Structure formats: C-alpha cells, structure tokens
C-alpha cells in the first residue's frame, strides 16, 4: 500500500482521535463495587409491586461508610431498611424495618441521593467510632439485571472459572418494566476472560434456558457480561462495536449497559452483549461457519499451533463436524498463501478491510495478537474476518500507541513480538485490498466516525454519567482504588 496514502488517509482523523480520547478520559466514573469483609448493620428491601421485593446489600468502604447503590426504577420512598442487629438512631433503639420517610419530615424534599447515620451502641452518637454513615445513591436511566444464584454466593464461580452456577434472573428496563425473567430451570452463570479474570471486578457468561432478545437485541442463548475493568470510561468496547455495526461488519455483537446485582450485592456497571458464537455469523442460508480465534493467551484441547506459529482456538469444537486436524490444514493453506502474498483468493476482502479499519481507527493494542476472530464455511476456502471483540486496550488506553497519526497500530510493521500475526499487513499488499480500503474508508468509515464523535459517543457518555449523579462519586472512586487487592477479591456472604 502506498506510504503517502497511509499517512494521509488517517491523518485528518487525528483530531477525531484526540476528541475521542479526551472524552473517554473525561467520563471516568465508578464502575465496580467489591466489598471488604465487613458485616453491614443494614440491608435494603425495595418494593417493586405485586408483592415482589428486591434485596440489596450495601457496599462497605474501608472507613466503614455503608453505600446503598439502588436501581434506577424504584422511588426512594419504596425502600425499606432492615437492621441486621439492633441499631440506634438519635439514641433510640431500632429493631424493626424503617423507611427514609421517618428520617425526613419533609418527604417532598427527599432526594434520590441522601445519607443518614446509625449507631451500633446506645451512646447517642457521642463516641464517633460508634457512628456509621449510610449513603443512598440511586441510578438513572440504566437497565438493571438481578441475578440470584442457587447457592446464594459466587464462591464456587470465583474459585473455578468453568464452574456453572444455576441462577434465576430478572432484567428490568430503566423505567422498571420487566424485560425478561427466568421462569424455569436451565439458566447458568460462569466466569470468563483471561487477564480480566484476575481482577476484582470480573466478567461472566450468562446462558439462558432458551433464546431471547434481551433489551431489544437480537435473540441469543448465550450472553456476556463485560466488566470493562481495564476501562474506567466503560465506553471503549461499546464504541468499537458501534463503529463495526455502522460499517455492517457481519456478526458484530450488540451491547447495552446494565447495573448488575448478584445475590443482593451490587457488582457495578456492566456491558451486556451477545457471546461470540458461530450463530452470530451465519450466512444468508442459515449455515454456521467454523469460527476461530487468534489469541496467543489460549491453550487447551481446542487450540492448535499453525505451521507459521499462530495460536488458534476453534470455537465450540465439539459442535463442529470437522476434525481439528482438518481445520488446522485448512488454516495452514490459507495462512501460507496470505504470507506469500498470494492469499487474496482465500479471503473475503470486504470483511478483512472493515475489521482492519475498526482496529486501526480505534488503535486497538490487541490487533493481530489477541481476540482476533475469523471464520470459513466448510464448502469453501474463503476466510472472513470478524466479529470484532475486546477493545479494552484501544482509544488511548495504551499511551505508547496513541497520539501520532503517522504511526499504525493494527499493521504493526514497526513492532514485533511473539504471538503477533502480520495478516493485515500481508492482506494490504494486494492492490485489490488497497482499492477496497480506500473506497471503504472514504465512503463508509469517514461518515461513521464523524457521526460517532459528534453524536453517539457524547449521548452514550451522558447516559453513563447519569448512572450515579452524586457529589460523592469521586470520593467513591478514591475509596475503591485505595482498597487492598485481597479485600477487594473477597466474596461477601451477608
């Protein structure tokens, strides 16, 4: 590909990139709530009508402040606080459940975000160490996913990522309308991720008993709850999915934000999206392809090493009617031809160019090394690129890669390390791919990125910021970051 075109083609996007990165930094918010092993003095019960209640346990900070993070749909008047033991308020013994209305004489002035104090000893609050501050914060304009495990705890899931916990669940839209609820057995929750699994705020895979289109998304049986633990903005994956979707890259997952509660504990803001499976990339006849993932972190029975050293994981190998050796041979034929600059007949140029442009425009640090999906149909040797996935390390997250429009991230011609594949670089040496790239960039991606930067990202950032509109937000972030890792990773069982 012509060097002059490379530099000029993306140069005018430098302003847009800087705008996106600055916006991402600006919308950093509280996104995870793991609690130290402190026994809270209260828990909350929320009346949602029709004799139904949702129980919420508080997140207790290191200095003993109890934070109740409430869903967006109930009124604070519908919240009842239930003491776990006897507490005292203004010197009065309290054993029975109480509402906020007893604390605020003027209930009309009762706001969604408020605080009160209780004491565990009858000292009238004279001894400051006896006083516990309780802060109530209510979400805005975000759906809520309430999950109840069969065991009452995530202990087994956190001990073994592959363990499948039976669960019941209910998904509320932002206004409290029930979008979905499990009415029969069969739904499960398990862990997911590699590096993210070692973090306090973990990602999960949710499997429903039957296919359903959660929050208006396309029907699926398997869903992913992305913690976005490496992305304080929670926006990077959403932006990449949105860009790929606007460009009509086949199989792009849809995504919606949800507040996640498991066993009454608030786990944080999550990205609910369809799990990447072969069903996402069916052809127009409904045929499912052989789906693979290039990822140098993977290992196991469904992983093979290509002749050129590429680590490839076959997705749902047990459901594929081809043997792994046959799939490896097909991949080797494709990769050998591509690396010999003779692979144009083996690739679907449109999907490869679109996937490359998403990776390049977002400065995806994992491009060519991790979570790179591709697929083929067994009646042809043509390989398609996609779906897009895993953009935690994009849009300025890796400071070494951002800020210079004359360097490239996805091509990686200037970087080499074990596990990186030069597929994009070799694909773009072909004149057909170059022409497709120029056309796709100018006619599809330029207007898509402009719409994203000028409208979509700003709108979504504003929605996220409204999840918790509180003056204490920054304080909560500092509390989270100051906690030791071992206390963050402990499992609550209140």
């Amino acid at each position: 590909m012509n060097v002059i075109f490379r530099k000029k083609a993306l140069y005018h996007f430098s302003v847009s990139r800087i705008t996106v990165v600055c916006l991402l930094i600006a919308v950093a918010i509280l996104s995870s709530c793991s609690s130290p092993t402190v026994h809270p003095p209260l828990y909350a019960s929320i009346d949602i009508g029709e004799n139904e209640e949702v129980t919420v346990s508080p997140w207790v900070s290191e200095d003993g402040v109890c934070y109740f993070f409430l869903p967006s749909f109930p009124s604070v008047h519908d919240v009842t606080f239930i003491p776990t033991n006897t507490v005292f308020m203004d010197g009065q013994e309290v054993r029975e459940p109480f509402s906020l209305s007893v604390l605020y004489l003027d209930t009309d002035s009762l706001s969604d975000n408020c605080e009160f104090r209780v004491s565990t000893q009858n000292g009238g609050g004279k001894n400051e160490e006896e006083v516990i501050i309780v802060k109530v914060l209510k979400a805005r304009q975000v759906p809520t996913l309430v999950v109840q495990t069969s065991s009452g705890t995530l202990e087994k899931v956190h001990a073994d990522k592959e363990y499948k916990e039976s669960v019941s669940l209910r998904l509320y839209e932002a206004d409290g309308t029930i979008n979905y609820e499990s009415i029969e057995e069969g739904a499960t929750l398990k862990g997911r991720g590699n590096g993210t699994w070692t973090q306090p705020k973990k990602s999960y895979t949710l499997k429903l008993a039957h296919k359903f289109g959660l929050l208006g998304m396309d029907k699926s049986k398997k869903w992913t709850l992305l913690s976005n633990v490496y992305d304080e903005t929670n926006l990077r994956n959403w932006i990449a999915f949105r860009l790929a979707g606007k460009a009509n890259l086949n199989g792009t997952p849809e995504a919606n934000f949800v507040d996640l509660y498991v066993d009454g504990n608030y786990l944080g803001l999550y990205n609910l999206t369809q799990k990447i499976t072969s069903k996402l990339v069916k052809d127009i006849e409904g045929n499912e392809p052989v789906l693979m993932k290039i990822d140098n972190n993977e290992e196991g029975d469904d992983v093979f090493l290509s002749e050129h050293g590429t680590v490839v994981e076959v997705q749902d190998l047990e459901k594929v009617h081809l043997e792994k050796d046959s799939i490896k041979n097909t991949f080797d034929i494709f990769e050998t031809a591509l690396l010999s600059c003779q692979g144009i007949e083996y690739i679907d140029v449109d999907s490869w160019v679109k996937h490359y442009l998403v990776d390049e425009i977002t400065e995806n640090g994992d491009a060519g090394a991790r979570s790179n999906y591709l697929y083929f149909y067994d009646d042809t040797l043509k390989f398609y690129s996609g779906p897009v996935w895993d953009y935690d390390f994009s849009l300025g997250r890796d400071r070494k890669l951002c800020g210079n429009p004359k360097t490239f991230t996805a091509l990686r011609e200037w970087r080499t390390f074990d596990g990186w594949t030069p597929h994009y670089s070799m694909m773009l040496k072909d004149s057909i791919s170059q022409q497709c790239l120029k056309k796709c960039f100018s006619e599809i991606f330029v207007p898509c990125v402009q719409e994203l930067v000028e409208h979509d990202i700003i709108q979504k950032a504003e929605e996220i910021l409204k999840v918790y509109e509180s003056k204490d937000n920054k304080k909560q972030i500092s509390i989270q970051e100051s906690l030791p890792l071992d206390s963050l990773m402990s499992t609550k069982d209140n």
Side-chain angles (χ1 to χ4, degrees):
M1 185 171 61
N2 185 278
V3 175
I4 295 177
F5 167 70
R6 288 188 201 165
K7 293 181 177 180
K8 288 184 177 180
L10 291 175
Y11 182 80
H12 71 281
F13 265 103
S14 60
V15 175
S16 295
R17 276 183 168 180
I18 293 171
T19 302
V20 172
V21 172
C22 290
L23 178 59
L24 290 171
I25 294 172
V27 299
I29 64 167
L30 170 68
S31 60
S32 69
C33 291
S34 301
S35 178
T37 52
V38 178
H39 190 64
L42 308 163
Y43 66 93
S45 178
I46 304 170
D47 181 8
I48 57 175
E50 299 182 1
N51 296 318
E52 293 282 348
E53 294 181 345
V54 173
T55 300
V56 177
S57 298
W59 176 81
V60 184
S61 68
E62 194 173 45
D63 56 359
V65 177
C66 288
Y67 289 89
F68 281 96
F69 300 105
L70 304 183
S72 62
F73 56 87
S75 165
V76 290
H77 295 84
D78 299 325
V79 179
T80 300
F81 292 92
I82 303 173
T84 54
N85 290 299
T86 301
V87 296
F88 298 86
M89 302 176 67
D90 295 328
Q92 300 297 314
E93 182 177 324
V94 179
R95 292 185 177 181
E96 300 299 321
F98 62 91
S99 66
L100 291 177
S101 60
V102 304
L103 305 178
Y104 291 81
L105 296 178
D106 181 10
T107 56
D108 291 335
S109 65
L110 180 57
S111 66
D112 291 337
N113 301 322
C114 55
E115 69 175 69
F116 58 93
R117 295 168 182 255
V118 299
S119 174
T120 55
Q121 299 183 35
N122 190 6
K126 295 179 181 179
N127 186 346
E128 289 297 325
E129 294 182 357
E130 299 171 355
V131 177
I132 298 172
I133 299 174
V134 180
K135 296 195 175 186
V136 181
L137 303 174
K138 183 172 176 290
R140 302 271 204 295
Q141 299 180 6
V142 63
T144 301
L145 178 59
V146 179
V147 177
Q148 184 67 45
T149 64
S150 59
S151 65
T153 176
L154 285 173
E155 240 174 62
K156 292 182 178 179
V157 175
H158 289 173
D160 179 4
K161 186 173 66 174
E162 299 304 319
Y163 177 80
K164 296 179 181 179
E165 176 82 22
S166 296
V167 297
S168 60
L169 59 141
R170 181 178 287 178
L171 178 60
Y172 299 90
E173 296 183 23
D175 63 0
T177 303
I178 296 177
N179 178 267
Y180 173 83
E181 63 179 326
S182 59
I183 57 177
E184 58 187 41
E185 295 182 357
T188 59
L189 187 77
K190 65 180 289 291
R192 71 163 310 279
N194 292 311
T196 56
W197 186 246
T198 66
Q199 299 303 309
K201 187 185 179 190
K202 302 182 186 300
S203 296
Y204 304 96
T205 295
L206 178 64
K207 184 179 180 181
L208 307 180
H210 302 285
K211 287 184 180 181
F212 191 84
L214 302 179
L215 296 174
M217 295 182 281
D218 288 344
K219 290 183 178 181
S220 181
K221 194 173 183 179
K222 295 181 179 179
W223 296 81
T224 298
L225 286 159
L226 293 176
S227 66
N228 295 320
V229 68
Y230 293 130
D231 177 14
E232 296 86 352
T233 72
N234 288 283
L235 281 170
R236 287 179 170 88
N237 279 304
W238 182 87
I239 290 172
F241 294 174
R242 187 77 167 179
L243 179 58
K246 285 178 175 290
N248 292 319
L249 180 59
N250 188 31
T252 299
E254 299 170 279
N256 273 293
F257 290 100
V258 296
D259 264 343
L260 177 62
Y261 293 81
V262 178
D263 297 327
N265 299 310
Y266 176 64
L267 300 192
L269 185 68
Y270 276 71
N271 221 337
L272 175 66
T273 180
Q274 294 117 331
K275 187 178 187 296
I276 301 296
T277 67
S278 59
K279 290 179 170 47
L280 272 182
V281 285
K282 293 185 293 187
D283 62 16
I284 57 176
E285 283 82 28
N287 299 315
E288 294 180 19
V290 178
L291 180 65
M292 294 168 283
K293 180 176 70 169
I294 295 174
D295 196 321
N296 56 18
N297 284 329
E298 297 295 347
E299 56 184 21
D301 294 338
D302 51 0
V303 175
F304 65 82
L305 189 67
S306 76
E307 288 184 358
H308 299 277
T310 302
V311 180
V312 182
E313 180 187 43
V314 183
Q315 304 299 294
D316 298 321
L317 179 60
E318 69 280 0
K319 298 179 181 179
V320 178
H321 64 276
L322 296 177
E323 297 293 330
K324 187 171 75 171
D325 287 345
S326 176
I327 297 172
K328 178 184 180 303
N329 291 337
T330 301
F331 184 87
D332 284 339
I333 292 172
F334 145 76
E335 189 175 46
T336 298
L338 185 62
L339 298 182
S340 303
C341 296
Q342 298 175 349
I344 193 65
E345 63 181 285
Y346 292 100
I347 68 172
D348 173 69
V349 176
D350 181 74
S351 64
W352 278 81
V353 163
K354 287 178 178 178
H355 199 170
Y356 163 72
L357 283 171
V358 173
D359 281 347
E360 195 63 78
I361 291 171
T362 62
E363 291 185 324
N364 181 18
D366 285 337
R370 302 176 188 90
S371 299
N372 283 208
Y373 284 91
L374 68 164
Y375 57 95
F376 72 94
Y377 299 94
D378 58 7
D379 59 346
T380 176
L381 280 177
K382 191 175 290 292
F383 277 72
Y384 296 76
S385 188
V388 296
W389 190 252
D390 194 359
Y391 285 79
D392 287 347
F393 286 92
S394 68
L395 291 165
R397 182 66 175 78
D398 189 338
R399 299 298 178 86
K400 296 178 181 179
L401 300 178
C402 69
N404 186 352
K406 296 183 180 181
T407 62
F408 287 79
T409 302
L411 286 182
R412 295 277 180 86
E413 291 181 327
W414 54 280
R415 296 179 71 194
T416 57
F417 61 90
D418 291 341
W420 171 70
T421 58
H423 294 163
Y424 282 149
S425 298
M426 302 308 294
M427 179 266 295
L428 291 173
K429 290 183 181 298
D430 185 90
S431 60
I432 296 177
S433 297
Q434 292 174 21
Q435 292 301 316
C436 181
L437 175 66
K438 294 177 184 179
K439 182 179 177 65
C440 190
F441 180 84
S442 61
E443 296 182 5
I444 298 177
F445 277 82
V446 167
C448 284
V449 173
Q450 288 175 339
E451 186 177 2
L452 270 172
V453 171
E454 295 172 4
H455 178 263
D456 294 15
I457 297 175
I458 295 174
Q459 184 182 53
K460 185 57 65 174
E462 289 175 347
E463 289 178 12
I464 294 177
L465 284 172
K466 288 181 179 178
V467 172
Y468 289 105
E469 291 180 330
S470 168
K471 294 180 181 179
D472 293 308
N473 227 18
K474 290 183 179 180
K475 183 178 180 182
Q476 293 168 37
I477 294 173
S478 66
I479 290 173
Q480 300 278 336
E481 293 175 346
S482 66
L483 290 175
L485 184 62
D486 56 349
S487 67
L488 280 170
M489 296 188 68
S490 62
T491 301
K492 301 194 297 292
D493 188 10
N494 298 323

